[in-house]
Amino acid sequence: MERRTLFVDVLLPLHLPGTYTYRLPFEYNDAVKVGQRVMVQFGSKRLYSALVRRVHETVPSYKTKYVLSILDLEPIVDERQFRFWEWMASYYMCYPGDVMAVALPSSLRLSSESYIVVHPDFCGEYGDLSADEIRILDVLTRKSRITVDEVEEITGYKKVMPIVKTMIEKHVVLMEEELRQRYTPKQTVWLTLGDSYREETATKQLFDTLERKTATHKQLLVLMRFMQLSGFGREAVKRKLLTDDPELSQSALDTLVKKGVLEVEHREESRLAGGDATASVASIELSPEQQQAFDTIIHSDKSVNLLHGVTSSGKTEVYIRLIDEVLREGKQVLFLLPEIALTAQIVNRLRRYFGNRVGVYHSRFNNQERAEVWRRTMQPSADGFQLLLGARSALFLPFHHLGLVIVDEEHDGSYKQSDPAPRYNGRDSALYLARMWGARTVLGSATPSLESYYHASEGKYGLAEMSQRYGGVQMPEVFCVDMKEAQRKREIQQNFSRFLIDHIKEALANHEQVILFQNRRGFSLRVECDVCHWIPQCVHCDVSLVYHKSTNSMRCHYCGYSIPVPPECPACHSTTLKMRGFGTERIEDDLGILFPDAHVARMDLDSTMQKKRYIEILNDFEDRKIDILVGTQMVTKGLDFSNVSVVGILSADNLISFPDFRSYERSFQQMTQVSGRAGRHGKRGKVIIQSYQPYHQAIRDAMNNDYLSMYKSQIVERRVFKYPPFYRLVTIVVRHKDQETVNSVAERYAGLLRAQFGNRVLGPEYPSVARIRNQYIKKIMVRFAQGEAITEGKRIMLQEAERLLQDKAYSRVTIVFDVDPQ
């Protein structure tokens, strides 16, 4: 029978267009499937795990390399996922390889510098090896591993991968990454009573034997402990329970295993925390307003529904009821959150009702944990996950029957990925993913984005609203302190107004908790010379350095550049250096002076670098071990604490003065969200806003919790000035290390675009930070009215950029496209 010559088109996790074709060895013809990973050589020395996109018999016009091995027995990516990746690449103007690099857990996405090791099953038989192969093996007997460069030196050949491939096929060598990085299930060792000792008489005789001999006393202690833990041999016992006991002998345990008294059993164990459900969804009693919102969504003829409920209105209970309806149909649910910090609280609540059916997926998990979630999401069996909870990356999980997508805090800017490509919006991508599956989508927020509320008000989305807090709890009382007036009256102490200090004292005296919000981390925003006003700058970016007291250093928050605090001004040699502005670290320090008996904690990027530190902080705050929690925007979103009576917003001016068309909307959202952390259970809370612009309309709207006022004023401005939701935006960023080159390319490219799109092209302009990591930046913005053919516009933009960069003078220029920028 004639063997077919097959080729595979593979997708590589690289910033490269399209797929690449490789020839399939005959022995893999019956094993290969679309969606499997295969190991391929790309370039002269690098290996990658690529995904099979197509299997065919079309002979390419060029000589192809061979697939080195197939890494999976079954596909790990299905056709629907491929189509989702391809849509994302097309919509966000990048390559499918960019999406693959973000979508797959890194333990499933292998690459190598091509180290070679001896195959563990190699028997040492040299008879079937060539002279070159024997020389390679001789070196490997002296060194544990060698590189491809070393193989070239050993053989004297420039192209050595064919030799290496032959040795792999003979099971003589392996690429080290196959051994080191491939996902492996976690194995645990259990001990059971040997078959010969299960009868009562045999067990009694064994104990008698051990008791009679002094030498076996330690074995007797181990056996007695095993019997106690196992219910006299009826159940298996984890070996770790015995080896961790300092009173038991490890060698005595090993002896009992050798004698067959105890038998070893290896079991696969999940790396993920879990537990059975402890409550029934039927026990949840919805308020009339919650029930109405639930009914509105369930009976809506729209596939997308916006749930607009004030903070603490009980949106989570509505979500749980919706999830239960979908799980009963045997479908899966995706629950998206904007911040990893939110997952700890919501996971506990969902596991209470859905137990081990809940899977969690986010970047704080290690590679093996993420790979395990990936594989268990694929499984339609009882061991698989039906409810998946995570940040935006959870969109890429391999669902098998998605029925509902919930996007909580849908307004949040954290759903948008800025770098690297794909620069996608998790909320908008979730809408497309749900549409692919024919699933329902629920967008939830107390402060919806203008775009979502506009679509709901125009009838594109369904709308369910909840205007009252659950249980009749009142919305917090909001005050605004005029900091100019407080400064004139000398009522400011360490960046705190006397009004705020008095309310913090009152809360602490009543054994209540306080949250303070400042959207700047670090100790001081800058250090300034009091004589010549010199300010230390980053050498790589056009920003001032931020002082961090914990490391006594000045640090750039863009590139990480850091220097010690200078003892004097390098410009005028004055030693009078003053701290200007304040961040979360400074607030934490000042609180220790003002309230020495209070336990203060800080939650920002710096304090939560360790994997589980943010969970520890939230748990301590929930357990009332922390009196005052200071934080950046991490503390504004969705957290539910019963004992918080005072919330302070320390510098509202940082929010409302940001140079962006969304600054009014975002400042309202952040102030309203952090205000919602106060008085969620029982007693009415208080919110104190400190501002030098106390009559700014965004502050007034936040004080009145008046979303409609904010929406109506902003939607008019958006229409007049041609911003979303009436227009769609594409921002184009031109980068290069030379400023003149950036100016030249940006001007030429903007001119090419104006020839196509006219006055819809704005710029080029320098952004507020014009140089980051030694790269100068200029931005161009292109507007498209809703209903315009934006797909054709994107094609033109990419085509013109490609044509422009063909000029050798511009070969190192980077042009980046950001669709729907945030």
Side-chain angles (χ1 to χ4, degrees):
M1 182 177 175
E2 186 179 349
R3 290 188 291 186
R4 298 160 61 209
T5 301
L6 295 182
F7 297 88
V8 291
D9 295 341
V10 301
L11 182 63
L12 289 156
L14 301 171
H15 181 68
L16 296 168
T19 55
Y20 291 81
T21 303
Y22 287 79
R23 184 172 173 179
L24 199 67
F26 290 124
E27 61 266 29
Y28 294 151
N29 277 13
D30 296 329
V32 71
K33 299 173 186 175
V34 172
Q36 285 175 320
R37 290 176 306 152
V38 293
M39 187 70 81
V40 297
Q41 179 192 354
F42 189 78
S44 60
K45 299 174 184 177
R46 290 189 68 90
L47 298 181
Y48 289 94
S49 60
L51 284 168
V52 176
R53 187 67 186 96
R54 189 168 74 98
V55 182
H56 58 89
E57 297 183 52
T58 305
V59 181
S61 58
Y62 52 88
K63 186 177 180 181
T64 59
K65 296 175 183 174
Y66 278 88
V67 168
L68 298 177
S69 63
I70 296 177
L71 300 178
D72 304 300
L73 294 176
E74 296 295 332
I76 64 166
V77 175
D78 64 19
E79 180 61 30
R80 193 181 264 106
Q81 284 174 277
F82 277 126
R83 286 193 282 113
F84 180 56
W85 295 2
E86 287 159 3
W87 167 83
M88 185 173 281
S90 172
Y91 186 83
Y92 290 105
M93 302 177 74
C94 62
Y95 298 131
D98 295 325
V99 184
M100 176 185 170
V102 170
L104 278 187
S106 56
S107 59
L108 301 179
R109 179 172 34 88
L110 313 181
S111 64
S112 77
E113 292 291 349
S114 303
Y115 282 104
I116 298 163
V117 297
V118 177
H119 196 294
D121 296 335
F122 177 58
C123 62
E125 179 59 53
Y126 280 62
D128 196 29
L129 302 181
S130 68
D132 289 327
E133 292 170 347
I134 291 171
R135 283 201 295 272
I136 293 170
L137 262 180
D138 285 342
V139 175
L140 280 172
T141 59
R142 299 190 299 273
K143 299 178 69 173
S144 60
R145 63 179 188 174
I146 58 176
T147 65
V148 170
D149 288 338
E150 289 174 303
V151 175
E152 290 177 359
E153 292 174 11
I154 294 165
T155 60
Y157 301 133
K158 280 294 180 186
K159 294 184 178 180
V160 296
M161 286 310 294
I163 298 174
V164 173
K165 176 181 175 294
T166 302
M167 295 181 76
I168 290 172
E169 290 171 350
K170 292 177 180 178
H171 299 288
V172 175
V173 298
L174 275 178
M175 292 299 173
E176 186 187 42
E177 285 71 17
E178 285 192 55
L179 293 173
R180 182 167 56 87
Q181 291 192 31
R182 181 180 289 178
Y183 167 75
T184 53
K186 182 180 179 182
Q187 298 282 339
T188 54
V189 181
W190 292 72
L191 298 170
T192 59
L193 192 62
D195 290 339
S196 303
Y197 300 96
R198 290 188 177 275
E199 292 294 332
E200 186 177 343
T201 53
T203 307
K204 188 174 184 301
Q205 186 178 355
L206 173 63
F207 272 101
D208 290 341
T209 303
L210 295 176
E211 283 175 347
R212 283 198 302 269
K213 298 179 182 178
T214 306
T216 57
H217 178 67
K218 291 182 179 180
Q219 296 175 35
L220 179 64
L221 292 177
V222 172
L223 186 59
M224 289 174 66
R225 182 63 176 147
F226 171 81
M227 288 297 192
Q228 182 185 0
L229 293 171
S230 66
F232 291 94
R234 289 192 296 272
E235 298 175 3
V237 174
K238 264 190 182 181
R239 182 188 177 107
K240 187 175 172 57
L241 293 176
L242 298 177
T243 56
D244 287 352
D245 191 330
E247 296 181 0
L248 301 180
S249 165
Q250 174 75 47
S251 60
L253 174 60
D254 293 339
T255 302
L256 289 173
V257 171
K258 287 178 183 176
K259 289 179 177 179
V261 175
L262 300 178
E263 294 182 351
V264 173
E265 183 180 315
H266 293 274
R267 296 183 183 179
E268 186 175 321
E269 185 179 88
S270 173
R271 293 180 171 86
L272 310 169
D276 294 329
T278 59
S280 167
V281 175
S283 66
I284 297 176
E285 293 185 11
L286 299 182
S287 68
E289 197 173 44
Q290 286 176 315
Q291 187 65 50
Q292 184 178 353
F294 172 77
D295 292 339
T296 298
I297 295 171
I298 283 291
H299 298 115
S300 173
D301 60 351
K302 308 292 183 184
S303 60
V304 182
N305 286 271
L306 175 64
L307 177 57
H308 178 203
V310 298
T311 55
S312 195
S313 58
K315 293 186 289 294
T316 303
E317 284 74 19
V318 177
Y319 294 152
I320 290 170
R321 287 284 299 275
L322 291 168
I323 291 167
D324 187 55
E325 291 284 328
V326 174
L327 296 188
R328 286 174 182 274
E329 297 172 4
K331 299 179 181 178
Q332 290 175 299
V333 177
L334 172 62
F335 194 126
L336 289 181
L337 291 162
E339 289 275 1
I340 295 168
L342 296 180
T343 57
Q345 271 201 332
I346 195 69
V347 164
N348 292 336
R349 295 180 71 177
L350 293 176
R351 281 200 173 132
R352 184 183 173 201
Y353 296 101
F354 304 111
N356 285 321
R357 292 185 288 174
V358 179
V360 184
Y361 189 82
H362 54 63
S363 59
R364 290 288 177 96
F365 277 8
N366 65 40
N367 294 337
Q368 298 285 11
E369 288 170 333
R370 298 184 85 189
E372 183 175 336
V373 176
W374 182 279
R375 291 180 180 277
R376 287 182 63 180
T377 303
M378 294 173 67
Q379 296 173 4
S381 65
D383 293 331
F385 289 133
Q386 280 83 51
L387 169 55
L388 281 304
L389 184 81
R392 61 175 181 257
S393 59
L395 283 167
F396 301 111
L397 286 167
F399 303 99
H400 57 80
H401 198 171
L402 190 60
L404 172 66
V405 177
I406 296 171
V407 185
D408 196 24
E409 309 294 352
E410 64 84 28
H411 66 278
D412 201 285
S414 300
Y415 280 120
K416 175 72 173 179
Q417 172 153 311
S418 54
D419 274 309
R423 295 167 179 84
Y424 68 101
N425 187 303
R427 176 198 62 203
D428 299 342
S429 300
L431 294 174
Y432 185 84
L433 179 67
R435 189 159 66 246
M436 285 180 65
W437 282 95
R440 187 191 300 274
T441 307
V442 176
L443 309 176
S445 178
T447 54
S449 64
L450 260 70
E451 292 91 333
S452 294
Y453 199 81
Y454 174 78
H455 292 320
S457 61
E458 292 293 303
K460 182 178 180 181
Y461 298 167
L463 177 62
E465 298 192 275
M466 297 189 296
S467 59
Q468 301 295 320
R469 282 188 155 189
Y470 183 78
V473 177
Q474 288 183 292
M475 295 295 291
E477 194 175 4
V478 186
F479 304 91
C480 185
V481 177
D482 185 342
M483 294 297 281
K484 284 186 292 187
E485 185 67 14
Q487 198 170 44
R488 186 182 67 79
K489 293 180 178 179
R490 299 187 178 182
E491 293 179 348
I492 297 178
Q493 187 176 356
Q494 269 116 352
N495 301 304
F496 300 93
S497 65
R498 172 55 53 192
F499 188 77
L500 177 57
I501 290 173
D502 289 344
H503 280 83
I504 293 175
K505 284 181 179 177
E506 182 184 348
L508 296 177
N510 293 332
H511 304 289
E512 295 166 343
Q513 292 168 292
V514 178
I515 289 178
L516 298 178
F517 168 59
Q518 167 67 357
N519 207 26
R520 292 287 188 276
R521 59 191 173 98
F523 188 86
S524 175
L525 303 188
R526 66 186 187 280
V527 171
E528 184 176 337
C529 174
D530 208 30
V531 177
C532 70
H533 302 288
W534 169 84
I535 298 172
Q537 300 284 317
C538 177
V539 297
H540 307 297
C541 312
D542 286 346
V543 293
S544 58
L545 299 176
V546 177
Y547 174 59
H548 286 256
K549 185 178 180 181
S550 60
T551 56
N552 194 34
S553 63
M554 309 291 298
R555 200 155 77 221
C556 175
H557 286 178
Y558 283 85
C559 71
Y561 171 76
S562 177
I563 61 170
V565 178
E568 62 176 27
C569 172
C572 70
H573 303 290
S574 167
T575 56
T576 314
L577 300 176
K578 294 289 182 69
M579 303 288 179
R580 308 291 188 192
F582 61 96
T584 50
E585 195 178 14
R586 172 70 175 270
I587 297 164
E588 182 185 28
D589 200 60
D590 290 345
L591 288 169
I593 298 170
L594 292 170
F595 306 101
D597 296 329
H599 186 184
V600 181
R602 172 167 51 95
M603 193 163 103
D604 57 20
L605 184 63
D606 298 320
S607 66
T608 58
M609 295 294 284
Q610 294 178 352
K611 179 179 177 181
K612 295 185 179 179
R613 181 59 187 144
Y614 69 96
I615 297 176
E616 293 169 1
I617 293 172
L618 293 177
N619 287 341
D620 286 347
F621 193 67
E622 191 165 17
D623 294 339
R624 305 188 185 183
K625 296 176 183 177
I626 297 170
D627 300 308
I628 305 174
L629 179 62
V630 181
T632 54
Q633 61 180 348
M634 284 184 177
V635 302
T636 69
K637 307 168 185 178
L639 299 174
D640 186 11
F641 300 110
S642 61
N643 196 43
V644 176
S645 63
V646 174
V647 166
I649 300 172
L650 299 182
S651 184
D653 305 293
N654 288 340
L655 304 175
I656 59 182
S657 302
F658 197 76
D660 185 86
F661 73 91
R662 288 192 172 93
S663 62
Y664 188 128
E665 176 190 10
R666 282 188 179 147
S667 58
F668 171 84
Q669 287 167 341
Q670 288 192 326
M671 285 187 284
T672 302
Q673 289 286 342
V674 73
S675 298
R677 301 316 108 205
R680 295 175 69 89
H681 300 265
K683 183 180 175 181
R684 187 182 189 189
K686 293 180 180 178
V687 178
I688 298 158
I689 301 172
Q690 295 186 163
S691 174
Y692 287 90
Q693 306 174 67
Y695 296 101
H696 191 285
Q697 193 57 45
I699 293 177
R700 295 287 116 186
D701 287 341
M703 290 177 67
N704 298 326
N705 194 37
D706 194 344
Y707 176 83
L708 282 179
S709 171
M710 183 278 296
Y711 171 78
K712 288 175 181 177
S713 67
Q714 288 302 292
I715 205 71
V716 171
E717 287 191 13
R718 298 282 183 92
R719 189 188 299 270
V720 170
F721 294 106
K722 299 181 179 179
Y723 283 115
F726 305 102
Y727 281 76
R728 298 165 87 171
L729 307 179
V730 178
T731 298
I732 303 158
V733 180
V734 181
R735 295 179 186 153
H736 192 265
K737 64 181 180 180
D738 179 67
Q739 190 171 12
E740 290 303 316
T741 302
V742 165
N743 288 332
S744 173
V745 173
E747 289 295 341
R748 280 189 61 183
Y749 190 47
L752 293 171
L753 295 181
R754 282 196 182 90
Q756 299 283 348
F757 305 116
N759 61 5
R760 288 179 291 172
V761 179
L762 304 179
E765 296 288 344
Y766 286 113
S768 55
V769 180
R771 181 175 63 109
I772 297 176
R773 296 184 179 91
N774 289 324
Q775 296 272 312
Y776 288 92
I777 301 168
K778 268 202 161 178
K779 288 189 175 183
I780 304 166
M781 182 181 286
V782 184
R783 290 171 167 153
F784 294 91
Q786 288 290 350
E788 274 190 272
I790 189 171
T791 303
E792 177 61 16
K794 291 175 185 175
R795 187 192 64 78
I796 292 170
M797 284 187 279
L798 288 168
Q799 181 178 295
E800 295 292 358
E802 188 176 335
R803 187 179 304 163
L804 182 63
L805 295 181
Q806 286 176 351
D807 188 329
K808 290 185 179 179
Y810 300 151
S811 61
R812 295 188 178 274
V813 173
T814 302
I815 297 180
V816 171
F817 299 91
D818 188 1
V819 181
D820 301 333
Q822 290 290 306

